């Protein structure tokens, strides 16, 4: 295979792995007068939560695409898609919805891969178990669209659920019925969105901040809760010990392929000018809107469900985050599953621990949307006998805040802009 053929193949793979291959969603979120205030809110939070040395690319406001997912009753998994319009599909989806809950789903993929189609089985399962419906966001991906483009897309989608335009198929959904859910990097995006709302609260000095959207002043409330599977709270991933310790047990690769010196250069990567990270500038890696683990203030955050495998490379970061927010009074439902790797329910959906995870994940979503009084609790489920034992969430890890800060500083200082190689070499 020639270098030209291989370059074409890589471009094809990129197309398959990114959002360009997604099916047409039910609704397209239109740009309207007032939406720049959503951008202003995010840029204000970037500045207000930072140290003044941040560098970032201000994104444009674009139409955001998303996919509605529900559960079709009385059909097999091989049933063909009905030959009806998208509007008719959505009407059928609403007719089969039994609960007012709407799950706003942010897919994983470490901010540079996948899209709603990759998590359609997951959102369908959550819709089935909760009786509600899911809206999965096709947010912009890096490296073409670095921070904060994806975060802006998620904020605009949340606002559209709350205050839909005339061409949006769904009526307004109250925040008390909305749960932010996601896996891996999508969970990190959801937490970044919560940080934006917390910052706006603090700046405006009111419980529910206001902004302009669709040309009107609207309120920006918190959702009912947050529900995550294999949450990534550190985009650099490599900060804490489990990243190296669990390498041989997990499915997460050592680094994105673009960091390999042998990776072919093109118009997408390395970025121009070069960045030290595909998602953001090096100066943003441990900013609270990029790295949830680095955020100090979580008081006022809604309750959080977290499911994690004990052999995930990111488990130490998840433990530290859960313990940190619980100390601040945020209720956390922590479930740890023995020997499970990253995103195991998606990889092994019929495994008993996957089924248990899906049930717990959906139950947490329903409990949040139903307004139940959530109390912090933790559990560890064994692989051999599927027995569950109690864990104290305030004692998940001995890693201190000072140690995390030291590791972050060391890691940030070691990162250099990635420039690639002038002549790429290929290995088949």
């Amino acid at each position: 295979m020639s270098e030209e053929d291989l370059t074409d193949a890589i471009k094809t793979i990129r197309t398959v792995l990114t959002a360009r291959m997604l099916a047409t969603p039910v609704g397209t979120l239109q740009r309207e007068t007032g939406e720049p205030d959503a951008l202003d809110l995010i840029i204000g939070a970037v500045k207000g939560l930072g140290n003044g040395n941040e560098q970032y690319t201000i994104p444009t406001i674009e139409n955001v695409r998303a996919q509605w997912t529900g559960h079709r009753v009385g059909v097999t998994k091989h049933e063909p898609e009905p030959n009806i319009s998208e509007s008719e599909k959505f009407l059928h989806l609403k007719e089969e919805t039994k609960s007012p809950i709407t799950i706003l789903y942010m897919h994983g993929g470490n901010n540079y891969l996948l899209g709603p189609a990759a998590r359609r089985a997951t959102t369908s399962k959550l819709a089935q178990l909760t009786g509600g419906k899911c809206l999965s966001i096709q947010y912009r991906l890096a490296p073409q669209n670095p921070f904060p483009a994806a975060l802006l897309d998620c904020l605009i989608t949340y606002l559209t659920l709350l205050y839909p335009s005339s061409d949006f198929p769904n009526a307004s959904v109250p925040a008390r019925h909305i749960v932010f859910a996601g896996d891996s990097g999508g969970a990190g995006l959801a937490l970044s969105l919560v940080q934006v709302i917390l910052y706006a609260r603090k700046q405006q000095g009111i419980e529910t901040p206001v902004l302009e959207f669709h040309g009107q002043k609207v309120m920006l409330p918190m959702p009912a809760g947050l529900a995550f599977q294999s949450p990534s709270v550190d985009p650099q991933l490599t900060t804490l010990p489990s990243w190296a310790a669990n390498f041989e047990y997990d499915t997460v690769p050592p680094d994105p392929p673009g960091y390999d010196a042998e990776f072919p250069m093109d118009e997408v990567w390395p970025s121009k000018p070069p960045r030290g990270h595909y998602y953001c500038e090096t100066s943003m890696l441990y900013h609270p809107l990029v790295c949830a683990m680095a955020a100090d203030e979580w008081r006022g955050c809604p309750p959080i469900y977290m499911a994690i495998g004990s052999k995930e490379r990111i488990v130490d970061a998840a433990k530290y985050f859960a313990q940190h927010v619980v100390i601040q009074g945020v209720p956390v439902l922590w479930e740890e599953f023995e020997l499970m790797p990253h995103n195991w329910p998606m990889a092994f959906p019929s495994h008993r621990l996957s089924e248990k995870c899906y049930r717990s994940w959906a139950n947490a979503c329903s409990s949040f949307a139903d307004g139940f009084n959530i109390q912090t609790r933790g559990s560890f489920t064994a692989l051999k006998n599927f027995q569950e034992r109690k864990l104290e969430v305030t004692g998940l890890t001995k890693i201190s805040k000072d140690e995390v800060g030291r590791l972050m500083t060391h890691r940030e200082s070691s990162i250099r802009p990635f420039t690639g190689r002038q002549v790429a070499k290929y290995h088949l």
Side-chain angles (χ1 to χ4, degrees):
M1 180 182 287
S2 68
E3 290 191 2
E4 182 179 355
D5 290 339
L6 188 54
T7 300
D8 289 341
I10 289 170
K11 288 182 177 180
T12 300
I13 292 170
R14 271 204 183 121
T15 302
V16 172
L17 292 176
T18 57
R20 289 192 293 270
M21 288 298 289
L22 290 172
T24 303
V26 170
T28 301
L29 311 182
Q30 302 294 330
R31 180 178 179 178
E32 304 239 358
T33 302
E35 285 185 3
D37 276 347
L39 176 59
D40 293 341
L41 188 65
I42 289 176
I43 298 304
V46 171
K47 295 177 179 178
L49 295 171
N51 58 20
N53 296 321
E54 296 81 16
Q55 295 178 321
Y56 52 94
T57 302
I58 297 178
T60 57
I61 293 180
E62 299 183 9
N63 293 344
V64 184
R65 299 175 71 82
Q67 287 189 1
W68 284 107
T69 307
H71 175 67
R72 294 177 65 192
V73 178
V75 298
T76 68
K77 64 180 181 180
H78 300 295
E79 189 79 13
E81 182 178 355
N83 186 24
I84 56 178
S85 69
E86 295 297 322
S87 298
E88 290 176 297
K89 291 176 188 176
F90 186 73
L91 289 175
H92 285 293
L93 184 151
K94 289 201 299 183
E95 290 171 358
E96 298 192 16
T97 297
K98 302 175 183 177
S99 166
I101 184 174
T102 294
I103 296 173
L104 185 59
Y105 198 88
M106 295 159 225
H107 68 82
N110 211 11
N111 305 118
Y112 75 101
L113 288 174
L114 308 180
R119 292 292 180 262
R120 197 173 294 143
T122 298
T123 52
S124 178
K125 187 73 172 178
L126 291 174
Q128 177 187 10
L129 293 173
T130 61
K133 55 185 178 295
C134 297
L135 183 65
S136 187
I137 309 171
Q138 186 175 316
Y139 56 80
R140 283 172 281 181
L141 299 175
Q144 296 95 322
N145 300 286
F147 173 88
L151 179 57
L152 176 62
D153 292 348
C154 293
L155 174 57
I156 288 176
T157 309
Y158 180 44
L159 287 168
T160 302
L161 276 179
L162 296 170
Y163 311 105
S165 59
S166 58
D167 60 345
F168 193 68
N170 199 60
S172 173
V173 181
R176 67 180 183 275
H177 292 154
I178 299 174
V179 174
F180 292 174
D183 65 279
S184 194
L189 272 176
L191 290 167
S192 298
L193 185 50
V194 169
Q195 276 291 306
V196 170
I197 301 173
L198 289 174
Y199 176 78
R201 276 184 175 180
K202 182 178 179 180
Q203 285 300 105
Q204 297 183 18
I206 53 178
E207 181 71 16
T208 306
V210 297
L211 76 162
E212 188 173 328
F213 188 64
H214 291 329
Q216 297 180 336
K217 291 292 182 181
V218 300
M219 304 178 79
L220 181 60
M222 280 290 181
L226 315 174
F228 305 135
Q229 196 281 316
S230 293
S232 173
V233 296
D234 172 15
Q236 187 54 32
L237 301 177
T238 59
T239 305
L240 299 185
S242 62
W243 180 254
N246 288 345
F247 171 74
E248 62 181 307
Y249 307 107
D250 205 0
T251 56
V252 178
D255 281 308
Y259 289 141
D260 188 337
E262 303 297 324
F263 194 76
M265 295 167 38
D266 61 14
E267 70 279 3
V268 171
W269 188 254
S271 60
K272 302 174 184 61
R275 295 195 301 269
H277 195 275
Y278 59 87
Y279 181 57
C280 63
E281 301 288 346
T282 304
S283 61
M284 290 296 302
L285 273 175
Y286 295 114
H287 187 284
L289 295 188
V290 174
C291 177
M293 194 171 64
D296 288 328
E297 186 57 56
W298 290 97
R299 292 176 179 85
C301 175
I304 307 173
Y305 169 81
M306 299 176 68
I308 194 84
S310 69
K311 287 301 182 182
E312 294 199 44
R313 303 183 74 188
I314 61 173
V315 66
D316 280 351
K319 287 180 177 179
Y320 172 82
F321 173 80
Q323 188 169 294
H324 179 60
V325 299
V326 163
I327 291 172
Q328 296 191 32
V330 179
V332 172
L333 304 178
W334 171 272
E335 289 198 330
E336 188 173 344
F337 294 81
E338 186 178 22
L339 296 179
M340 290 296 102
H342 193 65
N343 284 156
W344 79 94
M346 293 78 166
F348 318 115
S350 61
H351 193 281
R352 282 184 61 180
L353 291 189
S354 299
E355 293 174 346
K356 183 179 188 301
C357 178
Y358 271 122
R359 288 194 301 271
S360 298
W361 195 0
N363 287 340
C365 290
S366 295
S367 296
F368 298 157
D370 289 340
F372 290 175
N373 182 26
I374 305 299
Q375 301 295 319
T376 293
R377 66 176 184 272
S379 67
F380 182 95
T381 302
L383 175 62
K384 185 175 181 179
N385 55 15
F386 307 107
Q387 294 299 304
E388 186 179 294
R389 61 178 172 85
K390 183 179 178 181
L391 290 178
E392 291 296 333
V393 182
T394 53
L396 289 175
T397 180
K398 294 182 179 179
I399 300 173
S400 67
K401 181 179 179 180
D402 288 342
E403 184 178 359
V404 168
R406 178 180 59 81
L407 290 168
M408 286 180 177
T409 300
H410 172 74
R411 180 61 181 160
E412 184 177 358
S413 66
S414 68
I415 298 173
R416 299 290 181 269
F418 183 79
T419 58
R421 296 182 61 174
Q422 294 302 311
V423 178
K425 294 182 179 180
Y426 304 90
H427 297 281
L428 301 179

